[in-house]
Amino acid sequence: MTAAASPGGQFLERTRTVVNVLGPATVATSLLFYFGYVATTARFGYFGVYLSLMNQSLQDMLLYGVEAVYPPLIAVSVLGLLALAAHAGVRLLLSSEDRDDVTGWVGIFVTLLGCLALARGVVGMFVPHIARTEAIATTPLCLGAGAGGLAYGAWLMRRITIRRDRRRLATAPDDVDLPARSPVVDWLASPACARLCRYAMAWITLLVIASAFWTANSFAAAYGLGRALDDADSLPGRAEVVLYTKEPLRNLPTGASGTRLASAAGSELLYRYRGLRLLAQSNGRLFLVPAHWSTPGAHTLVVPYDKTVHLELLPR
């Protein structure tokens, strides 16, 4: 059976076909848009603003997405280099049969570590309290790293076990009756076990990809919240907004004040409001917040940006 006709080969061929149809640029743009959406939702959600009110453009979402994926991309690059270095060390151990004992212990250690990490990830999935209080992306990282470590350790132990048995048979004297091969070793070396390993690798690959996506999603949300905290800290240093309106505004946030102006000929703007800062302007709306967001009673004021209002900015 050729590689293309095997289950693993069919899976890779179908994946390649999907990627070719969608196109790398389309996939990258979609991912950047999604992560930008997650980061922007968390950023403005901190101020109580629904993203549907803002109607952000595709360009804005892509820019937010690029910002949000920088940290996980750097982390993945560093971890990938460390994994390649570790694999190179394992390949060096595998190159000599004299190091099979050391390699076997490495396989056992990696397998146990993968099992512990996978168990921690499963616990994080099903225990809400742990998921709420853990560090960013701990559960998805444990799921992906645990599954990958378990698969790698199992592959390493299978290879060492089969090679040890073959060496035992090859180096035994001709006049010595060898005991029958262990059923476990026979099964590990069988085509059925190799086929099962290919199926398992396909599922583990899907689990690792899903965990990576979940991890990036968590980082994007945390990045958006971090940007919101930076915005809140920078509000006192931003230009003050002086807002003139035709109709009075209700439910002003704490720290903002309004004054009714004397009627002037030709002017319909009768109210002036101060103590506000511009959070964003989008979709024909002004999103205004007080200078100190942490003050009790602070909330976002949404005002239509049309002919009924006039906006002035006073530099700090």
Side-chain angles (χ1 to χ4, degrees):
M1 180 181 290
T2 62
S6 64
Q10 292 177 359
F11 174 77
L12 293 177
E13 187 65 27
R14 292 174 181 174
T15 302
R16 190 180 300 111
T17 301
V18 171
V19 172
N20 290 334
V21 170
L22 294 178
T26 303
V27 174
T29 302
S30 300
L31 290 177
L32 288 177
F33 178 83
Y34 174 76
F35 292 130
Y37 177 83
V38 173
T40 309
T41 300
R43 180 180 182 181
F44 292 104
Y46 176 80
F47 295 98
V49 177
Y50 292 104
L51 200 58
S52 58
L53 291 174
M54 305 189 68
N55 193 23
Q56 293 285 313
S57 66
L58 175 61
Q59 182 179 1
D60 292 335
M61 288 298 184
L62 293 179
L63 290 175
Y64 285 131
V66 171
E67 292 179 349
V69 298
Y70 274 143
L73 276 180
I74 295 174
V76 167
S77 300
V78 173
L79 292 176
L81 290 175
L82 293 177
L84 287 176
H87 182 64
V90 171
R91 297 290 295 183
L92 181 62
L93 292 175
L94 287 173
S95 63
S96 174
E97 295 183 356
D98 296 335
R99 303 190 184 100
D100 280 355
D101 290 339
V102 177
T103 310
W105 281 110
V106 170
I108 293 174
F109 175 77
V110 173
T111 302
L112 291 177
L113 196 62
C115 289
L116 291 176
L118 188 61
R120 169 59 182 83
V122 172
V123 170
M125 286 182 62
F126 293 101
V127 181
H129 173 70
I130 293 179
R132 285 194 299 266
T133 57
E134 68 184 9
I136 299 172
T138 299
T139 292
L141 282 174
C142 287
L143 286 173
L150 179 60
Y152 191 82
W155 166 80
L156 196 56
M157 289 194 297
R158 174 176 178 265
R159 181 166 178 172
I160 292 300
T161 301
I162 295 175
R163 191 163 76 174
R164 279 178 176 174
D165 188 73
R166 289 175 178 172
R167 184 175 60 182
R168 180 179 65 88
L169 295 176
T171 58
D174 296 335
D175 56 346
V176 175
D177 294 332
L178 293 175
R181 174 181 285 183
S182 169
V184 175
V185 177
D186 282 337
W187 183 78
L188 289 176
S190 66
C193 180
R195 185 166 55 252
L196 181 62
C197 290
R198 288 195 294 269
Y199 288 138
M201 280 305 301
W203 285 107
I204 289 174
T205 300
L206 291 176
L207 178 58
V208 171
I209 292 175
S211 300
F213 193 83
W214 185 0
T215 300
N217 185 83
S218 299
F219 272 108
Y223 178 84
L225 181 58
R227 288 293 303 271
L229 295 175
D230 290 340
D231 290 339
D233 291 338
S234 67
L235 288 176
R238 295 188 183 184
E240 181 184 0
V241 173
V242 180
L243 185 68
Y244 296 88
T245 66
K246 180 179 179 181
E247 301 292 338
L249 300 179
R250 304 181 185 278
N251 193 23
L252 290 176
T254 302
S257 60
T259 305
R260 179 179 173 85
L261 304 176
S263 300
S267 176
E268 297 181 344
L269 303 177
L270 303 178
Y271 300 90
R272 181 179 63 197
Y273 298 92
R274 302 194 61 174
L276 297 170
R277 301 294 187 271
L278 181 63
L279 177 66
Q281 186 272 319
S282 179
N283 197 27
R285 295 183 177 93
L286 296 172
F287 298 86
L288 305 171
V289 293
H292 300 281
W293 180 256
S294 58
T295 304
H299 60 271
T300 302
L301 191 65
V302 183
V303 181
Y305 195 23
D306 52 23
K307 295 180 179 180
T308 62
V309 301
H310 175 70
L311 184 71
E312 292 181 358
L313 296 178
L314 301 182
R316 301 297 296 173

